[in-house]
Amino acid sequence: MALSPEAERARAQANHELIALLRGAGEHLPAPERDDFGSYFDRFAAAKLVLLGEATHGTSEFYRARAAITRQLIEHHGFNIVAVEADWPDAAAIDRYVRQLPAASGAEPPFERFPTWMWRNVEVREFADFLHQHNDAFAMDKRVEFRGLDVYSLRRSIAAVIDYLEKVDPERARAARQRYGCLTPWQADPTAYGLAMLSGRDTCEDDVAAQLHDLLEHRLAYVARDPEAFFSAAQNARVVRAAERYYRLMYRGSTESWNLRDRHMFETLQYAMQRRGAGAKAVVWAHNSHIGNASATSMGWAGEFNIGELVRDAYGEDARLIGFGTDRGTVAAASDWDGEMEIKSVRPAREDSYESLFRHTGLARSLTDLRPPGRRDLREALTGPRLERAIGVVYRPETELFSHYFEAVLPDQFDAFIWFEETRAVTPLEAPNVTASADTYPFGL
């Protein structure tokens, strides 16, 4: 229903006042490459967890800003874990590089699965090089870790568990092969497993659970040999268990599979924190839809939760959730799942969105701290809900309203918001060279 002229004028006036509040609260940020960029985020350093989002999976400024913030938190505030929305085995290759551990024998190059550009890009390589150099000055137990949180690596995680057991316990490796053999027909296409389960076939749930239990039952002997190797193998076994459940649930409803995935990512983060001990301090890189508090969005109102909500519940004020946004520019994305990467133009944000409000502030780059009590007026004025844009690895501008906008209450979703008015796509790396030397590990270039 169209608003009356009086209502239109009232809304326009309210927006004008809100934009003025945002303009006053927004701190102008230098470019992420500037040495002083990271210092703007010292205010969040007392937290044990700092979650850094992104409004798209293919925007250079988001990666470079997260790298600069994370570098500041590592170098000046003792953060020692970087956990990202990536699969555990792929991230493990980066972890071995940055902590200067031997490369896994016969390991496949990381990040070969769609969407390759999300982590196989120049921006991530430069950050990995920084971590490698930073860690050079520290003993192994003080080096910064790089961990993957996601659930999609069924085939690689199975291979990693078996490879580990072949080295430490060949007899149990044979048992693992037998248990995981249940999943063999679907390793190349795990989504087919979910379809098969719909037809009433027996699940592999008991087999993968038994394998994880068996591995953990012998932890004392395995840890005594190599604690890091066992920790990684155990996590791969947890991934297999979670992936089996995920693909079994994915055709039953998006809410169930989403919640399982984010629960797994949160638990993986918890395992990494617990292993590091009382001094653990982590930075998480993931999409806004994962790191913002889902209870303040239409996702949460429909029954979904995410890492941000679970972290907020578990850590309270010891966690900081920081969102990112942009108005326009270019992005690396595909038109369909498993499609080719394209450099797409990002449309200017809708006028009824949070992004539009930030655009009208006239600030090209800004940090808006939304925490009370000093920002109470701003928080109350921002309370909507309003539309917020989310672009994943697929971007369809022609259906943007339905494909990429959802409702949110921004000041309850995030503690702070980083704004880039115009952004550009990440720079993907070339296809991996499987014969790469040690000098080019882990990206194979």
Side-chain angles (χ1 to χ4, degrees):
M1 180 183 296
L3 295 177
S4 67
E6 294 79 7
E8 284 284 5
R9 284 193 293 270
R11 184 170 68 174
Q13 179 61 28
N15 276 350
H16 178 77
E17 293 171 359
L18 176 50
I19 290 164
L21 278 173
L22 276 174
R23 187 182 299 116
E27 301 172 55
H28 173 72
L29 288 173
E33 294 74 28
R34 287 271 302 272
D35 290 340
D36 55 340
F37 181 90
S39 65
Y40 283 81
F41 301 88
D42 288 337
R43 70 193 75 186
F44 305 114
K48 289 183 67 68
L49 282 162
V50 175
L51 279 59
L52 301 177
E54 58 184 357
T56 87
H57 280 320
T59 293
S60 179
E61 282 78 4
F62 298 158
Y63 283 82
R64 290 185 285 117
R66 293 188 301 191
I69 296 165
T70 306
R71 179 171 181 166
Q72 181 78 8
L73 294 174
I74 289 169
E75 290 183 323
H76 299 283
H77 303 290
F79 280 70
N80 45 34
I81 300 169
V82 181
V84 304
E85 186 188 342
D87 290 328
W88 182 270
D90 296 274
I94 308 303
D95 183 59
R96 286 190 287 270
Y97 169 66
V98 303
R99 288 199 288 150
Q100 303 180 25
L101 298 166
S105 59
E108 301 175 47
F111 308 118
E112 292 185 300
R113 180 182 60 79
F114 174 90
T116 56
W117 66 89
M118 184 173 162
W119 296 110
R120 181 177 286 279
N121 58 58
V122 168
E123 292 81 358
V124 171
R125 184 180 64 183
E126 290 175 350
F127 179 65
D129 287 343
F130 154 71
L131 290 176
H132 179 89
Q133 294 164 10
H134 170 84
N135 281 335
D136 194 49
F138 295 89
M140 185 59 65
D141 63 339
K142 301 296 183 184
R143 292 179 180 175
V144 178
E145 306 170 19
F146 189 92
R147 302 297 192 181
L149 301 176
D150 224 330
V151 75
Y152 293 120
S153 57
L154 180 67
R155 180 181 64 82
R156 284 193 171 187
S157 288
I158 286 174
V161 173
I162 293 172
D163 181 66
Y164 169 76
L165 288 171
E166 289 281 11
K167 295 172 182 174
V168 303
D169 198 335
E171 182 178 344
R172 289 194 169 84
R174 287 192 289 274
R177 287 183 184 277
Q178 184 174 6
R179 292 183 182 120
Y180 287 154
C182 177
L183 288 166
T184 297
W186 297 284
Q187 285 191 45
D189 182 13
T191 59
Y193 174 71
L195 284 173
M197 296 310 101
L198 287 178
S199 66
R201 295 190 60 163
D202 291 339
T203 77
C204 299
E205 181 178 13
D206 291 344
D207 291 308
V208 299
Q211 180 53 48
L212 174 59
H213 176 77
D214 188 60
L215 192 68
L216 296 177
E217 196 172 49
H218 295 86
R219 65 164 64 86
L220 292 180
Y222 296 156
V223 166
R225 297 180 58 135
D226 187 336
E228 172 61 32
F230 171 74
F231 177 67
S232 189
Q235 188 53 37
N236 274 305
R238 292 187 182 101
V239 170
V240 176
R241 182 185 62 177
E244 185 276 332
R245 292 176 178 173
Y246 177 84
Y247 289 112
R248 181 157 41 86
L249 290 174
M250 67 183 300
Y251 290 104
R252 289 172 49 184
S254 59
T255 296
E256 285 185 275
S257 56
W258 173 277
N259 287 349
L260 186 150
R261 181 186 175 207
D262 272 58
R263 172 71 71 181
H264 170 81
M265 289 199 282
F266 171 72
E267 290 176 349
T268 302
L269 177 62
Q270 290 283 75
Y271 288 128
M273 296 280 287
Q274 290 164 7
R275 182 172 183 275
R276 193 79 195 210
K281 300 185 77 174
V283 183
V284 177
W285 293 15
H287 198 280
N288 285 348
S289 57
H290 291 294
I291 69 93
N293 190 337
S295 67
T297 72
S298 54
M299 295 165 47
W301 306 332
E304 295 179 346
F305 55 75
N306 64 2
I307 307 170
E309 182 176 353
L310 296 172
V311 163
R312 174 64 79 223
D313 290 344
Y315 290 88
E317 293 302 302
D318 279 336
R320 292 300 174 203
L321 319 180
I322 303 175
F324 285 66
T326 187
D327 178 53
R328 61 190 182 275
T330 59
V331 67
S335 295
D336 297 287
W337 188 261
D338 267 343
E340 293 294 322
M341 190 208 80
E342 306 170 48
I343 303 300
K344 293 172 167 268
S345 294
V346 178
R347 292 183 173 182
R350 290 175 55 89
E351 286 295 327
D352 51 353
S353 67
Y354 281 112
E355 289 84 355
S356 174
L357 295 174
F358 282 92
R359 176 179 67 223
H360 287 301
T361 65
L363 298 173
R365 292 181 299 271
S366 65
L367 167 64
T368 304
D369 193 338
L370 296 164
R371 294 173 296 170
R375 294 291 161 80
R376 182 175 178 179
D377 288 347
L378 176 61
R379 288 174 60 87
E380 289 180 353
L382 278 175
T383 298
R386 290 175 184 263
L387 291 178
E388 183 181 312
R389 183 163 58 189
I391 298 172
V393 295
V394 172
Y395 180 43
R396 295 172 177 157
E398 65 279 4
T399 61
E400 194 176 59
L401 175 59
F402 305 103
S403 307
H404 301 290
Y405 280 96
F406 62 98
E407 287 192 317
V409 180
L410 193 78
D412 294 332
Q413 183 186 11
F414 302 117
D415 294 307
F417 195 73
I418 298 170
W419 173 250
F420 290 92
E421 184 178 47
E422 188 167 359
T423 52
R424 59 184 176 85
V426 293
T427 303
L429 296 172
E430 296 176 5
N433 174 6
V434 295
T435 61
S437 69
D439 291 338
T440 62
Y441 175 84
F443 288 104
L445 297 177

